[in-house]
Amino acid sequence: MKVPFKRAQSGKQNVSRPAQPGGGLQYAMGMKQPASSQRAGVQSPQQKIQTGGEDTLTSKIIDTIVRVSIYITVFLLPLFFLTNVPSVLELNKQVLLVVVTGFGFLAWVGKMAWKNEIRFKKNFILVPIVTFVAIMGLSTVFSTYFEQSMWGFFGGEGRSFITLLFMVALFLLIFNTVKNRGEAVKMVLVFLIGGFLLGLYGLLQIWEVYLLPSEVAENPFFNTIGSVYIFNAYVAALFLLTLALFLSDVSKVLKIVLIALSFFFFFIMMVINFKIVWIATIICIALLFGVTIMKGGTTGSQSRVLPMIFLVLALLMILRKQPIIQKDLPVEVLLNYRSSTKIALDSFKKHPLLGSGPTTYSTVYQQARPENLGDFWAVNFNNGTSYFLTLTSTVGLLGALSFLFLVGTGLVYLFKTMVKAVSTEVKGDKNYIAIGIGTVWLFTTIILFGYLANISLLLLWWFSFALFLSFTLLDPTVKTKEFVTTSATPRSSLVFSFVFVLVIIGFVAAIYMQSQKYIAATHFNKALVADSQGAEVEDVAERIQKAIQFDPNRDIYYRNLSIAMFALANERIAEKTQDDLTPEDSNYISGMIRGALGAADQARTLDPNNPENHLSVARIYEGMLATMEGAEERVIESYDEAIELDSTNPALYHRLASVYVALSDLEVSKVRAQNPAGTSEELPEESLKYLAMAKDNLEKSLEIKPDFAAANLLLAGVYEREGNMEMAIKKEKNNKTVFPAAPGIAFRLGLLYYKDEQFDNAKQEFEAAVSLDKDYANALYFLGLVLDKQGDKTGALKSFERVSELNPTNDDVKEIVQNLRNGQDALAGIEQVRPTASPVPEQSPTQPAEQQTSIDPGVENQEIPEEATPSIEEIDGELPPEEEAPPGEGPTP
């Protein structure tokens, strides 16, 4: 009879025991037990034999569940996507990974719990893996935004800690499940079948053959992996895998299939023609080809021909200046390696050991935004030039070193395997599949250091790593070691139970929370779709609220709810006139404003390091500058906080300057309201202070970006308000030189000349504006006034008739036309409005990070009535209950 216990490899004798308590070494060897032991419920040897079949069947079922979970993950994850969430690819793949791998891992752990033992393959590679996971976990715990580091952002789920955790779980399942070469080859074939399907789909997409009736999928650059360039890298790895299988001892039929697949994958690589991929591919083919030459033996010259052909073709592709197959592919904008390295080094200064947390690259980037970014100065990049530089920038020195430790250990294993394969002592072609899969892992590693990575590419890295190490342990010359321990005492049994329960609860909780977050994302996506289709703003807000109910820790939901609620307030104001505004309307508007501020403030609380969250608060207070006492302090404070986080963004200084300009105009309006008959052009002292602060911020903006159009235009407006017409005209002339084709700048320059009574120059600029835009009503209006002043009544009449055609409901224009027809001055009997430069077109202070979409209700901001404006005390919750304004109807955060 086989002895049912084994000697542990650690040097200690750990006995494998039955699941029931009691017994000992004598029982394990089949020796007779005392009657007391039998009375305690311990099985006799005969009873053990009788139940052995059930144990074996249960073990087989659990093992099947584990294997199926692996097959589903490696086959389906690269192919899987749905269009019901904002992150079409990454979030769906993350959910699949967590759910399927999670169930497989729970089955594996459950089997050990059922047997009351811990058993796994013992290998040094577990040391760097556990180290890497532990440091990434600590970086997540101490992250500047825990929720995002844990789960990722829309489009960046692949770099989150939860994805890493389940990738490692998949690694452990593969590493401990593969028992023989047949199982390993089966996994490779399943992976290749899925790879062929995604390659075929991606190739058809490039040729605009759309198989799926989806707006997202009807794009030649869409595929199930990611960008066309990451898709190319993935296909190149599949190509190397087919080449490695071809070199191993497989059947002739399979060799023919592998040859066809290798040419198919190579053709896709030729179509996309990505240089980094060619470099990595050449290195790996050369490695494989070199091994075949050095090994010799049973690997014939015919087998060596295929890698040699592909090596030559790959070299030709990288040396050719023009691609063989011409296809218009998208231009990908990335930071260069120098900028990414500088950002990584700068991040060490603020968070040296653990970084700011996984997936927080956008925050790191904003705090060290490079100069000379050209047209991309306002883009908030959420990744560096490569996966490694992105990782280094966000998880600190310890995170980078632990990853290098892991990669270095893998390279040592790969080197040892290759040395062993080419040695004279080892014959046969079975080693090629291990080397081939190791080469795929090496290729993916090169890509991680040289380019970006997403969840599909990271799956490929962990899958090839686990399979490569599994193959090395299948070598009959390598003695596989296992760590096995059982609960020999009640105390150790209690510890076992605690560990198993902790692991099971953790994974079940992760699966549950992932499902909740996914449901929230579907509701948010419905809000985005509804908003894009012009649905009622209230419906959009309700959908966002449903998302918050399922996932209350994502700042983007609160930020968008803030936009929706402020739009609802402005929508109600637009529906009413000042006289029609009822107390119920005022309460509703006030309630929406408070709700919008509450939502924006919650977003800021969740992620105080995101400038966009501070700007959301500032924009709402900006709308109440004229009616809320203390609003200016809140606006300036919010912009200052945003600038502190993104100090090299010129648009933030411009926006703060525009606030100071608005405050200056309000001071002027107050003075004129108090003295309507006043004729003094001198500005109040407070107004001049605001203009001085506006100039100071505009100068900071232009120091960063001298050609920033919005800042240059606003600076001319500041000079105009100060009465410094000479500087205003000079600045506007410079603006026209930089933007000669902009009719708005010609109009503004003409308006300055008009105010300075340089009518000939004003006429010239207004005519220039009209020549650039024949329907420019403002330019036609002032051109008509200039012509009237110069005595050209016919020309003036022609201009104002055109203005009247463009504005048929404007009574003032109709009266001007009638005056000119009667031979009177154009403005006779019409109250003249002080001419000012047209409003400076707004430019978003920051562009959202890639794929961080948001709603845009399209509701213009209105002047909020004073009676509908909540007070600072109401917003801060400092009013006593009896004085607090009644809540408004509609959605609340």
Side-chain angles (χ1 to χ4, degrees):
M1 183 178 69
K2 186 177 180 181
V3 179
F5 77 94
K6 66 181 293 180
R7 189 178 301 276
Q9 300 295 334
S10 62
K12 298 180 180 179
Q13 293 184 354
N14 295 328
V15 180
S16 177
R17 296 182 174 277
Q20 291 80 2
L25 183 59
Q26 291 178 334
Y27 174 80
M29 297 183 66
M31 298 177 66
K32 185 177 180 180
Q33 296 298 303
S36 59
S37 296
Q38 295 180 12
R39 285 193 299 269
V42 180
Q43 291 179 323
S44 68
Q46 183 64 31
Q47 290 172 321
K48 181 67 178 177
I49 292 171
Q50 291 173 354
T51 59
E54 295 178 8
D55 291 351
T56 304
L57 179 61
T58 305
S59 295
K60 286 183 177 179
I61 292 173
I62 294 175
D63 290 342
T64 300
I65 292 173
V66 173
R67 287 189 179 90
V68 169
S69 71
I70 295 172
Y71 292 147
I72 291 174
T73 302
V74 300
F75 173 80
L76 193 58
L77 187 141
L79 288 165
F80 186 64
F81 76 93
L82 293 172
T83 59
N84 61 334
V85 290
S87 179
V88 173
L89 295 177
E90 294 292 279
L91 179 55
N92 285 296
K93 295 180 190 298
Q94 185 188 53
V95 170
L96 179 71
L97 174 71
V98 170
V99 173
V100 178
T101 302
F103 276 114
F105 193 82
L106 286 174
W108 183 58
V109 173
K111 179 182 177 181
M112 288 189 285
W114 171 64
K115 289 190 171 184
N116 208 20
E117 67 176 11
I118 296 177
R119 179 187 296 269
F120 56 85
K121 288 181 181 178
K122 186 179 178 183
N123 192 282
F124 180 76
I125 196 64
L126 296 179
V127 175
I129 288 177
V130 170
T131 302
F132 181 53
V133 172
I135 290 176
M136 289 289 286
L138 288 173
S139 179
T140 300
V141 169
F142 295 103
S143 170
T144 56
Y145 186 13
F146 170 81
E147 189 74 13
Q148 183 168 297
S149 293
M150 186 70 180
W151 301 97
F153 56 88
F154 290 139
E157 288 84 359
R159 301 195 297 273
S160 66
F161 178 71
I162 200 70
T163 299
L164 170 66
L165 191 64
F166 280 84
M167 287 287 185
V168 171
L170 179 66
F171 174 93
L172 293 174
L173 290 181
I174 296 172
F175 187 61
N176 289 278
T177 299
V178 174
K179 305 295 184 184
N180 55 62
R181 186 173 182 272
E183 290 179 352
V185 172
K186 191 183 296 184
M187 284 186 188
V188 172
L189 292 177
V190 168
F191 187 70
L192 277 178
I193 293 170
F196 168 72
L197 294 176
L198 70 87
L200 180 62
Y201 178 78
L203 189 62
L204 291 175
Q205 286 286 121
I206 293 175
W207 258 270
E208 300 183 22
V209 179
Y210 305 126
L211 302 179
L212 300 176
S214 168
E215 185 178 348
V216 174
E218 290 179 356
N219 181 333
F221 310 128
F222 177 81
N223 58 77
T224 63
I225 296 296
S227 73
V228 289
Y229 304 105
I230 292 183
F231 170 68
N232 188 21
Y234 194 92
V235 167
L238 294 171
F239 160 75
L240 290 170
L241 193 56
T242 58
L243 202 58
L245 279 176
F246 172 80
L247 291 173
S248 62
D249 57 339
V250 294
S251 65
K252 291 184 178 180
V253 174
L254 185 54
K255 278 186 180 289
I256 294 172
V257 173
L258 291 170
I259 291 173
L261 281 176
S262 62
F263 276 100
F264 170 70
F265 292 136
F266 195 84
F267 176 75
I268 297 175
M269 294 164 63
M270 291 171 63
V271 171
I272 300 175
N273 195 34
F274 192 28
K275 187 176 180 179
I276 295 175
V277 170
W278 284 125
I279 293 172
T281 303
I282 289 170
I283 293 172
C284 294
I285 295 178
L287 204 60
L288 277 174
F289 187 58
V291 170
T292 62
I293 293 175
M294 287 187 290
K295 182 173 176 60
T298 58
T299 304
S301 59
Q302 292 181 347
S303 296
R304 298 171 192 161
V305 170
L306 191 63
M308 184 173 64
I309 291 173
F310 283 124
L311 181 60
V312 172
L313 289 175
L315 286 169
L316 288 175
M317 289 300 300
I318 203 170
L319 292 174
R320 278 181 62 89
K321 294 183 178 179
Q322 294 294 329
I324 296 175
I325 303 171
Q326 297 283 349
K327 291 297 293 183
D328 291 330
L329 297 174
V331 176
E332 191 170 43
V333 180
L334 296 174
L335 294 168
N336 57 39
Y337 289 100
R338 182 178 179 181
S339 296
S340 291
T341 303
K342 183 179 180 300
I343 290 171
L345 294 176
D346 286 343
S347 70
F348 289 160
K349 298 176 183 178
K350 295 185 177 180
H351 306 280
L353 296 181
L354 295 173
S356 57
T359 75
T360 59
Y361 189 85
S362 180
T363 300
V364 174
Y365 169 80
Q366 288 168 335
Q367 293 174 355
R369 188 188 296 269
E371 298 178 355
N372 303 320
L373 289 173
D375 295 334
F376 303 100
W377 61 270
V379 176
N380 289 335
F381 289 92
N382 57 32
N383 49 252
T385 311
S386 70
Y387 172 80
F388 175 70
L389 287 173
T390 304
L391 185 77
T392 302
S393 302
T394 55
V395 297
L397 190 60
L398 292 179
L401 291 176
S402 63
F403 182 72
L404 291 174
F405 178 35
L406 176 57
V407 170
T409 306
L411 291 175
V412 170
Y413 276 99
L414 181 60
F415 176 75
K416 286 182 177 180
T417 304
M418 288 183 173
V419 170
K420 193 170 187 178
V422 300
S423 66
T424 55
E425 299 175 2
V426 181
K427 298 295 182 182
D429 299 335
K430 291 185 178 181
N431 291 312
Y432 279 119
I433 191 166
I435 296 171
I437 295 174
T439 305
V440 172
W441 174 80
L442 176 63
F443 169 85
T444 314
T445 302
I446 294 172
I447 296 299
L448 294 186
F449 278 88
Y451 188 57
L452 309 179
N454 61 8
I455 198 167
S456 297
L457 210 59
L458 291 171
L459 170 77
L460 177 63
W461 192 80
W462 285 103
F463 171 71
S464 58
F465 200 16
L467 215 53
F468 160 65
L469 292 170
S470 298
F471 264 109
T472 61
L473 296 180
L474 294 176
D475 191 324
T477 63
V478 176
K479 188 176 182 181
T480 304
K481 298 179 180 180
E482 276 193 333
F483 175 85
V484 183
T485 183
T486 60
S487 56
T489 65
R491 179 178 296 178
S492 61
S493 181
L494 180 63
V495 173
F496 265 47
S497 300
F498 178 75
V499 171
F500 285 132
V501 169
L502 193 64
V503 172
I504 291 170
I505 289 176
F507 271 74
V508 170
I511 294 171
Y512 173 76
M513 292 176 68
Q514 181 73 75
S515 64
Q516 293 291 101
K517 290 179 178 299
Y518 188 77
I519 294 170
T522 61
H523 284 297
F524 182 60
N525 191 67
K526 289 177 182 178
L528 295 174
V529 172
D531 179 65
S532 66
Q533 295 175 349
E536 295 291 333
V537 183
E538 191 167 357
D539 293 338
V540 175
E542 287 176 358
R543 294 181 188 278
I544 298 173
Q545 283 182 301
K546 288 182 180 178
I548 292 174
Q549 289 173 5
F550 286 96
D551 185 4
N553 296 313
R554 200 183 281 265
D555 67 327
I556 191 173
Y557 296 160
Y558 290 99
R559 197 162 61 241
N560 280 270
L561 180 61
S562 174
I563 294 172
M565 298 186 79
F566 196 53
L568 285 170
N570 283 288
E571 195 174 57
R572 178 64 65 91
I573 297 169
E575 292 171 357
K576 305 282 184 176
T577 64
Q578 189 73 20
D579 296 333
D580 292 339
L581 204 65
T582 64
E584 291 76 15
D585 293 327
S586 295
N587 286 339
Y588 176 86
I589 295 167
S590 179
M592 289 300 102
I593 292 173
R594 292 199 304 274
L597 283 170
D601 194 59
Q602 180 63 20
R604 183 168 59 177
T605 301
L606 287 170
D607 187 8
N609 293 288
N610 187 349
E612 193 66 33
N613 290 334
H614 296 281
L615 295 174
S616 295
V617 176
R619 290 184 186 116
I620 299 171
Y621 280 113
E622 272 189 81
M624 299 182 290
L625 283 174
T627 53
M628 177 187 283
E629 185 178 351
E632 67 276 7
E633 296 174 2
R634 298 291 176 92
V635 173
I636 294 169
E637 179 186 2
S638 297
Y639 274 115
D640 284 340
E641 289 171 343
I643 288 171
E644 185 178 352
L645 295 169
D646 193 3
S647 59
T648 55
N649 187 345
L652 294 179
Y653 295 101
H654 160 255
R655 287 298 304 140
L656 181 54
S658 68
V659 170
Y660 283 123
V661 170
L663 291 172
S664 173
D665 291 345
L666 284 173
E667 288 297 322
V668 173
S669 299
K670 289 178 184 177
V671 171
R672 288 179 180 157
Q674 294 170 359
N675 185 18
T679 58
S680 174
E681 295 290 331
E682 189 174 335
L683 294 178
E685 183 179 350
E686 197 67 22
S687 178
L688 289 172
K689 288 181 181 178
Y690 284 135
L691 290 177
M693 287 185 278
K695 280 198 297 185
D696 181 56
N697 280 279
L698 289 172
E699 287 168 0
K700 291 177 181 177
S701 176
L702 294 173
E703 283 177 10
I704 300 169
K705 184 174 174 57
D707 62 343
F708 186 23
N712 279 297
L713 293 173
L714 186 57
L715 184 56
V718 171
Y719 286 132
E720 176 194 356
R721 285 170 172 82
E722 288 180 328
N724 191 345
M725 298 304 296
E726 181 181 352
M727 285 299 298
I729 290 171
K730 181 180 178 180
K731 189 63 184 175
E732 210 67 84
K733 287 172 70 174
N734 290 338
N735 292 336
K736 186 181 177 182
T737 303
V738 178
F739 306 101
I745 295 180
F747 167 72
R748 289 166 55 86
L749 180 56
L751 203 56
L752 292 173
Y753 280 130
Y754 180 86
K755 288 185 66 178
D756 203 37
E757 299 184 355
Q758 300 183 39
F759 296 119
D760 290 337
N761 289 333
K763 175 186 174 184
Q764 181 180 346
E765 296 302 329
F766 291 140
E767 288 175 340
V770 173
S771 67
L772 293 169
D773 181 1
K774 61 185 179 62
D775 294 331
Y776 198 160
N778 283 342
L780 287 165
Y781 180 93
F782 281 98
L783 176 60
L785 291 181
V786 171
L787 293 173
D788 180 51
K789 288 182 178 296
Q790 292 179 334
D792 186 356
K793 299 292 184 182
T794 303
L797 179 60
K798 183 179 178 181
S799 288
F800 278 109
E801 284 176 341
R802 179 58 183 155
V803 175
S804 183
E805 291 174 8
L806 296 170
N807 298 271
T809 60
N810 191 309
D811 294 332
D812 285 343
V813 175
K814 291 178 182 178
E815 190 171 348
I816 290 172
V817 170
Q818 192 61 40
N819 286 340
L820 291 171
R821 286 174 179 170
N822 294 333
Q824 297 177 311
D825 290 341
L827 298 176
I830 298 175
E831 183 180 355
Q832 296 190 37
V833 179
R834 183 187 302 269
T836 58
S838 60
V840 180
E842 291 228 359
Q843 189 160 350
S844 176
T846 58
Q847 295 183 7
E850 296 170 19
Q851 299 172 319
Q852 298 304 289
T853 51
S854 60
I855 64 170
D856 181 14
V859 178
E860 293 185 7
N861 287 349
Q862 307 292 319
E863 183 178 341
I864 297 174
E866 188 171 353
E867 60 270 26
T869 303
S871 66
I872 291 288
E873 290 77 15
E874 287 180 67
I875 293 169
D876 293 342
E878 295 176 359
L879 279 183
E882 64 271 15
E883 297 181 24
E884 188 171 353
E889 54 188 280
T892 56

